[in-house]
């Protein structure tokens, strides 16, 4: 029923791990969106993609700063971003999946932002004031991301056959990573009971309704997966995260201890 | 209403921004977009990155009717000698107030 | 500069011949138009204007727009690798501004009657030019500092007078650009200052970046006045308000003390303060290198254009699908009426 994360080296500081999960998801998705800069299908979309990246990296900064404080070992948001290896990253696997094309990117962004809107909505009334504050700010940003990405999925899928092909491919390649969003880790259960963390299991139904609604509007058959791929709390990622970190952490690794 | 396509680069829209309530919308420039919703979002991203606005209007440039500079004298010069439309045209005796 | 006439002598001669051939008969008399300019009137989009004025502006504004858009690439090269989250956010916001500035400028150029699609096509096919500076590579993080400090610094010196240029839409775009760009140079200088007071490796990285970017940056202002053929007419039309050499001198005079303040050395042995002129004297610029880069043989010319073309081509299906969707929606709306 729970991911048995504690058997896999997750620390016993549940709040730290939880904040890390929120921060890492935002950070990795922000890094992915930044890859569009200078490459988007139109110059207007370069600006839109970098706005998303700014929102997400900004959220990551706040969550990771808090994670560092909760941990109490003096690690900053930068230390956590640039000096952990892949197995210590807690991001959802779906956000590390490659951008591929604007269609796949928009499908990924819709699937994730629809989830994050629900999660932040609930987290905004957390008993932990810091988390609640960050979530309330981030919620407004993600509502726009959801609206924007949803519109793009419809435009592309209902525009041309090529668009439909690519959007369908997006849903097919990403579907097996969606189950992880609604999986609760054992260490999170106490936080949920204490009114601090969100019980993500309760978000699956509203999320499914929103996705089904979009699929129906586009006339796309609901994707299936023989199994859902998970592993973030076990430190088990897909091959992509390591490469993201190679880029992201390069300077901090090449010049240990330097200030920038 | 959506503008007509231009050269595989979508249509041109004119953008008007209200900087804060109490002010009118002011023309700030244009954006390219395939449809009205996209035009609004592109305008939001391009013209309000630094909190420059609280409201946006977009309109396909093709839908704007503009006066022709060649008509300038016929349209605008006749107003120049109608000085009686301005309050300073009138002589009021000294000491009379609230007028 | 982003706006310097970068056409080679042959290109200019060819354009002049074409212009003669296609000269339109209906044009305001040069004297009437010049009188408006001399009274500091702004020229607006639908006003009558000499064909040559329209052409000069279209070339200059679109080249300026191309420079902003191509200019995203050398800095974009470091977004994924920015060394802190703060630096990543700043760099993202800065490059995003550049995309925005490109769009403001394309809009301004479009008011002169050339579509953005045509301008972009001219860039991709190599017919249009953009600032030579973006054909230099950003190989280390310090280059991001140098680009902000020197390249944006030079751009600001050039752009401030353009806020009063005679063509209204261009002047208004430049006002917006200048307002937004004020943080660009500061963030670049801040990067350099942090490096200069960092570890020996960091300081070395900063000095190396200054060594590589100094000369290309001061070349951005374009050929020396005596070699700049188009300047005179542009000055008369008040498209341009100061000469290349005046602006270059202004930039050097304000930048040298900044370098000194953070302990970096300008790589010019001939640089020295001239008390009489109250300005710095400086060494010879290598104009052969400048023209080689203009003609396509800089380190990155081919990479830059290839990157822009690739983005455009790979995005074609997206633009088409969006267009097709809009058309379908229009038909639905019409049918419902």
């Amino acid at each position: 029923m729970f991911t048995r994360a504690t058997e896999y080296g997750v620390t016993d500081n549940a709040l730290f791990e939880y904040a890390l999960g929120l921060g890492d998801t935002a950070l990795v998705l922000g890094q992915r969106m930044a890859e569009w800069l200078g490459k988007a299908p139109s110059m207007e979309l370069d600006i839109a993609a970098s706005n998303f990246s700014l929102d997400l990296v900004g959220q990551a900064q706040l969550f990771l700063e808090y994670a560092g404080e909760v941990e109490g070992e003096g690690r900053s948001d930068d230390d956590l971003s640039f000096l952990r290896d892949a197995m210590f990253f807690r991001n959802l696997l779906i956000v590390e999946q490659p951008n591929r094309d604007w269609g796949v990117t928009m499908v990924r962004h819709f699937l994730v932002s629809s989830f994050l809107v629900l999660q932040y909505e609930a987290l905004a009334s957390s008993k932990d004031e810091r988390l609640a504050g960050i979530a309330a700010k981030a919620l407004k940003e993600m509502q726009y991301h959801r609206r924007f990405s949803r519109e793009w999925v419809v435009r592309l899928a209902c525009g041309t056959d090529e668009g439909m092909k690519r959007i369908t491919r997006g849903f097919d390649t990403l579907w097996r990573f969606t189950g992880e969003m609604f999986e609760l880790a054992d260490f999170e259960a106490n936080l949920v009971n204490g009114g601090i963390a969100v019980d993500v299991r309760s978000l699956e139904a509203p999320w499914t309704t929103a996705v089904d609604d979009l699929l129906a509007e586009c006339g796309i058959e609901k994707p299936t997966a023989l199994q859902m791929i998970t592993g973030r709390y076990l430190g088990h990622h897909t091959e992509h995260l390591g490469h993201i970190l190679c880029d992201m952490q390069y300077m901090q690794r090449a010049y240990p201890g330097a200030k920038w | 209403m959506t503008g007509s396509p231009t050269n595989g680069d979508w249509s041109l829209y004119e953008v008007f921004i209200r900087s804060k309530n109490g002010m009118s919308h002011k023309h700030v420039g244009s954006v390219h977009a395939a449809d009205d919703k996209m035009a609004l979002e592109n305008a939001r991203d391009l013209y309000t990155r630094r909190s420059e606005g609280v409201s946006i209007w977009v309109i396909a440039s093709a839908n704007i009717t503009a006066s022709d500079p060649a008509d300038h004298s016929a349209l605008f010069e006749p107003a120049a000698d109608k000085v009686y439309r301005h309050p300073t045209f009138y002589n009021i005796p000294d000491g009379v107030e609230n007028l | 500069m982003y706006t310097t006439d970068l056409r080679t002598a042959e290109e200019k001669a060819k354009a002049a011949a074409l212009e003669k051939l296609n000269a339109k008969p209906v044009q305001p008399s040069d004297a009437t138009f010049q009188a408006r300019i001399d009274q500091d009137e702004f020229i607006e989009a639908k006003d009558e204007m000499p064909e040559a004025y329209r052409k000069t502006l279209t070339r200059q504004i679109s080249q300026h727009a191309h420079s902003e858009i191509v200019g995203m690439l050398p800095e974009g090269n470091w977004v994924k690798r920015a060394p802190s989250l703060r630096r990543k956010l700043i760099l993202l916001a800065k490059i995003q501004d550049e995309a925005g500035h490109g769009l403001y400028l394309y809009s301004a150029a479009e008011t002169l009657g050339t579509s953005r699609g045509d301008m972009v096509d001219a860039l991709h096919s190599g017919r249009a030019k953009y600032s030579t500076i973006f054909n230099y590579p950003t190989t280390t993080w310090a280059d991001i500092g140098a680009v902000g400090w020197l390249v944006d610094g030079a751009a600001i010196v050039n752009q401030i007078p353009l806020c009063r240029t005679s063509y209204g839409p261009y002047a208004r775009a430049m006002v917006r650009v200048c307002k937004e760009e004020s943080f660009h140079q500061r963030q670049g200088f801040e990067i350099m200052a942090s490096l200069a007071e960092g570890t020996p490796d960091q300081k070395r990285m900063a000095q190396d970046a200054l060594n590589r970017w100094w000369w290309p940056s001061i070349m951005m202002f374009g050929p020396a006045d005596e070699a700049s053929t188009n300047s005179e007419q542009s000055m008369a039309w008040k498209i341009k308000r100061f000469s290349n050499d005046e602006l270059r001198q202004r930039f050097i005079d304000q930048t040298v003390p900044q370098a000194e303040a953070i302990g970096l050395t300008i790589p010019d042995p001939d640089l020295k303060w001239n008390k009489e002129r109250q300005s710095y004297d400086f060494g010879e610029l290598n104009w052969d290198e400048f023209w080689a880069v203009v003609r396509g043989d800089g380190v990155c010319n081919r990479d830059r254009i290839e990157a822009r073309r690739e983005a455009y081509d790979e995005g074609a299906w997206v633009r088409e699908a969006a267009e097709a969707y809009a058309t379908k929606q229009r038909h639905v709306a019409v049918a419902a009426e």
Side-chain angles (χ1 to χ4, degrees):
Chain A
M1 135 156 214
F2 296 127
T3 300
R4 298 204 316 280
T6 40
E7 290 173 19
Y8 273 85
V10 161
T11 63
D12 51 11
N13 190 337
L15 184 56
F16 166 68
E17 294 287 349
Y18 185 64
L20 217 50
L22 294 165
D24 288 348
T25 291
L27 179 61
V28 174
L29 187 58
Q31 181 82 357
R32 275 290 187 225
M33 288 311 280
E35 291 174 18
W36 275 109
L37 202 56
K39 297 186 183 139
S42 85
M43 292 175 272
E44 284 80 5
L45 296 178
D46 276 310
I47 298 182
S50 42
N51 257 350
F52 288 171
S53 194
L54 284 169
D55 288 344
L56 289 160
V57 176
Q59 292 167 20
Q61 217 178 7
L62 296 172
F63 282 127
L64 293 177
E65 191 188 357
Y66 184 47
E69 286 171 30
V70 167
E71 186 192 34
E73 308 260 321
R75 287 204 280 181
S76 67
D77 49 347
D78 280 343
D79 294 334
L80 290 169
S81 303
F82 297 107
L83 299 173
R84 279 179 300 151
D85 197 1
M87 67 181 297
F88 301 102
F89 266 74
R90 305 294 182 217
N91 61 281
L92 292 164
L93 303 189
I94 191 171
V95 299
E96 64 195 52
Q97 300 312 304
N99 289 342
R100 300 196 194 276
D101 61 37
W102 188 250
V104 175
T105 298
M106 285 297 102
V107 170
R108 186 187 65 205
H109 216 67
F110 174 74
L111 295 172
V112 177
S113 62
S114 301
F115 165 72
L116 290 179
V117 164
L118 294 167
Q119 188 183 35
Y120 290 159
E121 240 164 19
L123 193 61
S125 48
S126 165
K127 282 188 181 156
D128 183 307
E129 280 177 23
R130 278 286 285 284
L131 289 180
I134 302 170
K137 175 195 169 285
L139 173 62
K140 293 176 208 147
E141 296 170 343
M142 295 323 293
Q143 283 168 332
Y144 183 74
H145 292 216
R146 179 178 63 177
R147 162 187 160 159
F148 180 97
S149 54
R150 190 185 194 287
E151 283 171 12
W152 267 102
V153 170
V154 173
R155 264 185 209 112
L156 297 175
C158 305
T160 56
D161 292 346
E162 180 69 19
M164 177 59 98
K165 197 178 89 191
R166 293 184 190 240
I167 290 294
T168 309
R169 182 177 73 145
F171 278 108
D172 284 341
T173 35
L174 295 170
W175 195 253
R176 66 191 190 283
F177 298 108
T178 55
E180 192 183 40
M181 300 192 284
F182 310 106
E183 198 182 64
L184 198 69
D186 52 1
F187 73 86
E188 287 177 310
N190 280 340
L191 294 176
V192 168
N193 292 336
I196 289 170
V198 176
D199 187 346
V200 285
R201 293 169 303 183
S202 68
L203 307 180
E204 185 162 11
W207 180 85
T208 304
T209 309
V211 173
D212 287 351
D213 184 54
L214 175 62
L215 289 168
E217 186 172 338
C218 297
I220 296 174
E221 218 175 293
K222 189 162 184 169
T224 53
L226 295 176
Q227 62 168 354
M228 284 294 168
I229 312 289
T230 67
R232 64 172 177 145
Y233 283 129
L234 312 181
H236 296 167
H237 287 270
T238 59
E239 288 178 346
H240 306 295
L241 183 63
H243 295 283
I244 294 175
L245 299 187
C246 280
D247 282 331
M248 192 172 80
Q249 300 183 336
Y250 157 62
M251 289 298 288
Q252 295 260 355
R253 300 292 190 184
Y255 300 90
K259 297 266 174 294
W260 303 96
Chain B
M1 184 67 201
T2 312
S4 55
T6 48
N7 211 1
D9 199 20
W10 300 334
S11 313
L12 198 60
Y13 282 76
E14 299 304 319
V15 181
F16 301 82
I17 304 266
R18 184 201 296 287
S19 58
K20 57 182 180 195
N21 281 0
M23 311 283 277
S24 49
H25 287 75
K26 191 177 158 212
H27 184 243
V28 292
S30 53
V31 290
H32 283 251
D35 58 52
D36 299 356
K37 270 190 207 169
M38 196 197 294
L40 204 59
E41 283 159 10
N42 290 350
R44 175 250 192 202
D45 286 344
L46 187 55
Y47 291 105
T48 65
R49 293 198 301 289
R50 288 173 172 78
S51 314
E52 292 96 333
V54 296
S55 163
I56 304 175
W57 289 346
V58 290
I59 179 163
S61 310
N63 291 338
I64 288 186
T65 308
S67 64
D68 186 335
D71 297 338
H72 181 273
S73 52
L75 288 175
F76 307 114
E77 280 175 21
D81 64 353
K82 313 291 194 291
V83 287
Y84 41 78
R85 287 195 173 112
H86 301 279
T88 48
F89 177 71
Y90 300 93
N91 296 316
I92 303 294
D94 288 347
V96 177
E97 288 177 359
N98 299 320
L99 259 175
Chain C
M1 186 43 56
Y2 296 178
T3 55
T4 303
D5 190 343
L6 292 177
R7 292 175 302 172
T8 58
E10 305 90 88
E11 286 170 323
K12 283 175 192 163
K14 217 166 120 192
L18 256 172
E19 225 156 86
K20 236 182 206 166
L21 208 65
N22 298 330
K24 295 223 173 90
V26 196
Q27 282 195 34
S29 84
D30 288 351
T32 319
F33 185 75
Q34 193 60 48
R36 290 191 63 193
I37 298 279
D38 292 342
Q39 283 165 34
D40 275 331
E41 270 186 52
F42 281 113
I43 308 301
E44 292 296 343
K46 295 175 88 186
D47 291 355
E48 286 187 350
M49 60 185 86
E51 237 358 75
Y53 177 84
R54 182 187 302 277
K55 279 207 175 123
T56 302
L57 271 171
T58 305
R59 180 190 54 70
Q60 175 169 333
I61 305 173
S62 62
Q63 179 180 308
H64 197 163
H66 298 328
S67 299
E68 296 282 355
I69 296 300
V70 175
M72 295 166 68
L73 299 170
E75 290 178 284
N77 185 34
W78 278 90
V79 162
K80 289 198 287 177
R81 294 179 291 169
S84 72
L85 295 182
R86 176 172 178 271
R87 292 285 175 213
K88 191 189 292 289
L89 290 169
I90 294 169
L91 187 57
L92 268 165
K94 175 178 191 288
I95 302 172
Q96 186 188 45
D97 274 350
E98 274 146 21
H101 298 169
L103 294 183
Y104 302 153
L105 288 161
Y106 281 124
S107 289
E110 279 186 297
T111 63
L112 292 160
T114 306
S115 77
R116 187 174 87 179
D118 287 343
M119 290 185 260
V120 167
D121 187 54
L123 173 69
H124 293 177
S125 67
R127 277 178 289 130
K129 300 282 198 284
Y130 55 88
S131 177
T132 49
I133 195 75
F134 301 118
N135 292 319
Y136 290 85
T138 51
T139 50
T140 72
W141 170 251
D143 291 3
I144 298 306
V147 168
W149 174 34
L150 302 174
V151 175
D152 288 285
I156 291 168
V157 167
N158 180 58
Q159 286 171 350
I160 286 174
L162 287 174
C163 296
R164 291 187 297 125
T165 193
S166 61
Y167 187 57
Y170 190 25
R172 290 193 289 276
M174 291 317 301
V175 168
R176 193 171 268 278
V177 168
C178 286
K179 224 189 260 174
E180 296 187 352
E181 223 159 59
S182 49
F183 95 82
H184 293 188
Q185 190 188 15
R186 291 178 78 109
Q187 67 85 34
F189 186 71
E190 193 195 76
I191 290 175
M192 291 302 259
S194 322
L195 295 175
E197 63 180 28
T199 64
D201 278 349
Q202 285 177 301
K203 180 154 189 188
R204 191 182 138 184
M205 189 191 283
Q207 183 62 52
D208 168 67
L210 175 56
N211 293 349
R212 282 180 292 113
W213 289 90
W214 173 254
W215 291 103
S217 297
I218 62 173
M219 279 194 260
M220 283 170 69
F221 293 93
D225 293 347
E226 70 263 18
S228 179
T229 46
N230 273 32
S231 278
E232 220 166 291
Q233 179 63 72
S234 284
M235 299 275 264
W237 278 332
K238 295 189 184 171
I239 293 175
K240 191 172 169 168
R241 287 173 168 267
F242 297 96
S243 77
N244 294 352
D245 285 337
E246 277 174 284
L247 293 171
R248 181 167 16 245
Q249 185 71 57
R250 192 178 296 175
F251 172 71
I252 292 172
D253 289 348
Q254 70 184 40
T255 308
V256 174
Q258 293 166 356
E260 284 168 357
I262 54 173
L264 296 179
T265 311
I266 304 279
D268 178 359
D270 297 325
L271 187 83
K272 58 174 182 296
W273 180 249
N274 182 325
K275 220 168 148 191
E276 269 158 49
R277 290 201 305 124
Q278 286 293 300
S279 260
Y280 284 94
D281 292 335
F282 53 93
E284 266 319 284
L285 282 76
N286 181 353
W287 292 113
D288 290 342
E289 176 184 320
F290 177 79
W291 288 111
V293 178
V294 168
R295 286 167 185 268
D297 280 337
V299 180
C300 301
N301 297 55
R302 287 161 180 80
D303 295 332
R304 300 295 185 236
I305 291 301
E306 200 44 53
R308 286 311 309 160
R309 225 187 271 150
E310 209 175 286
Y312 192 78
D313 292 346
E314 284 180 9
W317 74 271
V318 174
R319 296 191 302 276
E320 281 160 23
E323 191 84 61
Y325 177 71
T327 307
K328 284 182 195 172
Q329 292 302 104
R330 268 198 299 276
H331 290 155
V332 172
V334 169
E337 268 166 22

